[in-house]
């Protein structure tokens, strides 16, 4: 009797599932490309993480390579450069969160206050353009601006009688220079999501605030910012999930022997040892470590956000 009841329950659950799918069939059709993308390029390659536990030899293949367990992780954690890489990676990302993350919000608030549509669209296009430049172009522009020989900034400094400053080869300037580069390139593009969130605010709230005598600053503080707070929190949590990630191309192009002490990060280490050194297992180990750190930070930050009474990402 109990078995029959359980079978009937399963059948009802299946029928409800299929009826739900049929009712929302076009939504599933629209979601199919995204689902396929994640299945093919995110989930399917996960089997390659086995390389981190092997002494991978391309000639022997994955299954023929020797299983060495956690040896690669032990070597990475005991390496003399591990804590240097950890410090540099987190420092660069903290610089990005503290100085770069709030700027797209401020820029979006300013653009949202522009009432002349043509002027607003022109400004939006201008601030979006740097996003489409490659890091090669950005690095070349940085060299043209900051180098001691031909740099415009140093020419201005020397014109006032001061000595030129080696911005590109001084470790003390390196993290700030990377942050300014990323800010100039990506801040405009980062405003898109915040502007979209602001577009969803009910205009009647602003009209009621005007009738109550609220100034523009009070409208921003009491209406706009609370409306986009969930978006800010979600993007901040996702940003924390990339704390072990640093733009490899940017670091590679801006690196030089004089700033190695502050430029060595996990990505450049994986490239140097894993690709150039032929130790592919080390590169996979670094990637797996970065993924675990990102997952832990996302879960931890999401837990803290929910404890504070806000909505998280799940």
């Amino acid at each position: 009797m109990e078995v029959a009841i359980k079978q009937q329950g399963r059948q009802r659950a299946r029928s409800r599932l299929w009826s739900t799918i049929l009712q929302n069939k076009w939504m599933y059709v629209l979601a199919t490309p995204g689902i396929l993308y994640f299945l093919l390029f995110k989930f399917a390659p996960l089997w390659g993480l086995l390389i981190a536990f092997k002494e991978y030899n391309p000639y022997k293949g994955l299954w023929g390579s020797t299983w060495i367990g956690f040896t690669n992780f032990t070597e990475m954690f005991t390496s003399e450069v591990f804590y240097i890489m950890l410090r540099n990676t987190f420092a660069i990302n903290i610089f990005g969160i503290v100085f770069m993350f709030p700027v797209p919000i401020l820029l979006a608030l300013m653009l949202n206050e522009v009432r002349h549509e043509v002027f607003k669209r022109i400004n939006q296009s201008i601030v979006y353009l740097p996003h489409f430049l490659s890091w090669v172009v950005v690095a070349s522009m940085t060299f043209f601006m900051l180098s001691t020989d031909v740099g415009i900034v140093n020419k201005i400094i020397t014109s006032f009688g001061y000595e030129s400053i080696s911005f590109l080869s001084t470790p003390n300037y390196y993290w700030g220079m990377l942050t300014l580069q990323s800010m100039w390139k990506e801040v405009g593009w980062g405003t898109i999501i915040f502007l979209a969130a602001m577009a969803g605010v009910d205009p009647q709230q602003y009209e009621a605030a005007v009738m109550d005598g609220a100034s523009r600053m009070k409208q921003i503080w009491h209406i706009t910012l609370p409306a986009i707070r969930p978006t800010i929190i979600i993007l901040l949590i996702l940003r924390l999930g990339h704390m072990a990630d640093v733009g490899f191309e940017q670091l590679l192009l801006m690196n030089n022997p004089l700033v190695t002490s502050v430029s060595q990060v996990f990505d450049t280490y994986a490239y140097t040892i894993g690709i150039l050194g032929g130790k592919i297992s080390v590169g996979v180990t670094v990637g797996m470590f970065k993924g675990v750190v990102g997952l832990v930070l996302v879960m931890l930050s999401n837990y803290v956000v929910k404890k504070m009474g806000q909505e998280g990402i799940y």
Side-chain angles (χ1 to χ4, degrees):
M1 185 65 178
E2 291 181 1
V3 175
I5 293 174
K6 289 181 179 179
Q7 289 179 348
Q8 290 178 359
R10 293 193 191 99
Q11 290 176 355
R12 283 196 296 269
R14 290 196 199 99
S15 63
R16 283 197 299 269
L17 175 62
W18 281 110
S19 63
T20 302
I21 292 174
L22 290 174
Q23 288 175 2
N24 302 281
K25 57 183 177 182
W26 298 117
M27 296 295 292
Y28 286 101
V29 170
L30 290 173
T32 298
I35 295 171
L36 290 176
Y37 168 78
F38 278 97
L39 289 175
L40 291 175
F41 298 103
K42 300 297 181 181
F43 289 99
L46 287 177
W47 64 269
L49 293 178
L50 290 172
I51 296 176
F53 303 96
K54 292 195 171 192
E55 189 176 357
Y56 182 70
N57 187 327
Y59 297 102
K60 294 182 180 179
L62 177 60
W63 307 114
S65 300
T66 306
W67 180 274
I68 57 174
F70 290 94
T71 302
N72 289 322
F73 292 92
T74 304
E75 291 180 358
M76 183 182 69
F77 292 140
T78 56
S79 172
E80 58 183 10
V81 298
F82 174 76
Y83 292 103
I84 295 175
M85 295 187 297
L86 189 67
R87 180 202 66 184
N88 295 341
T89 301
F90 275 81
I92 292 171
N93 279 295
I94 289 171
F95 265 67
I97 290 175
V98 173
F99 297 105
M100 183 177 168
F101 185 81
V103 178
I105 303 172
L106 296 175
L107 183 58
L109 288 171
M110 288 189 290
L111 288 172
N112 191 56
E113 294 301 309
V114 176
R115 292 294 173 260
H116 195 286
E117 284 299 321
V118 176
F119 182 73
K120 180 178 180 180
R121 292 182 184 279
I122 291 173
N123 278 276
Q124 283 179 300
S125 300
I126 292 172
V127 297
Y128 293 166
L129 283 176
H131 170 78
F132 299 99
L133 297 177
S134 71
W135 278 113
V136 176
V137 175
V138 176
S140 301
M141 293 173 64
T142 304
F143 178 81
F144 181 71
M145 294 291 293
L146 301 180
S147 68
T148 54
D149 299 328
V150 298
I152 295 175
V153 174
N154 273 311
K155 286 185 180 296
I156 295 173
I157 292 174
T158 54
S159 68
F160 286 97
Y162 298 98
E163 294 185 0
S164 60
I165 302 173
S166 301
F167 292 105
L168 301 177
S169 57
T170 304
N172 291 337
Y173 297 121
Y174 191 74
W175 293 341
M177 182 177 60
L178 293 181
T179 304
L180 289 174
Q181 274 186 329
S182 300
M183 193 180 298
W184 179 80
K185 188 176 186 296
E186 301 296 344
V187 158
W189 188 254
T191 61
I192 293 176
I193 297 177
F194 296 112
L195 284 171
M198 293 174 191
V201 181
D202 188 356
Q204 292 182 355
Q205 296 186 36
Y206 293 110
E207 294 172 2
V210 171
M211 293 179 65
D212 291 337
S215 63
R216 295 302 304 174
M217 288 301 299
K218 287 186 177 180
Q219 292 176 41
I220 292 172
W221 185 258
H222 294 288
I223 299 175
T224 309
L225 283 176
I228 66 172
R229 185 187 297 127
T231 303
I232 295 173
I233 291 172
I234 290 173
L235 291 179
L236 180 59
I237 293 173
L238 295 176
R239 182 68 181 81
L240 290 172
H242 290 278
M243 280 294 289
D245 263 325
V246 181
F248 167 73
E249 188 176 357
Q250 181 188 15
L251 268 292
L252 185 66
L253 292 168
M254 298 306 301
N255 196 13
N256 64 74
L258 296 175
V259 295
T260 304
S261 60
V262 292
S263 66
Q264 179 78 298
V265 295
F266 293 110
D267 295 293
T268 55
Y269 177 79
Y271 173 73
T272 304
I273 305 299
I275 305 300
L276 299 183
K279 297 182 178 179
I280 300 175
S281 297
V282 174
V284 178
T285 302
V286 171
M288 190 172 181
F289 170 74
K290 287 165 49 183
V292 171
V293 171
L295 176 63
V296 171
L297 288 175
V298 166
M299 295 179 68
L300 182 61
S301 57
N302 188 70
Y303 174 79
V304 172
V305 165
K306 285 191 171 183
K307 282 292 183 182
M308 296 172 63
Q310 302 295 330
E311 292 185 7
I313 58 175
Y314 60 88

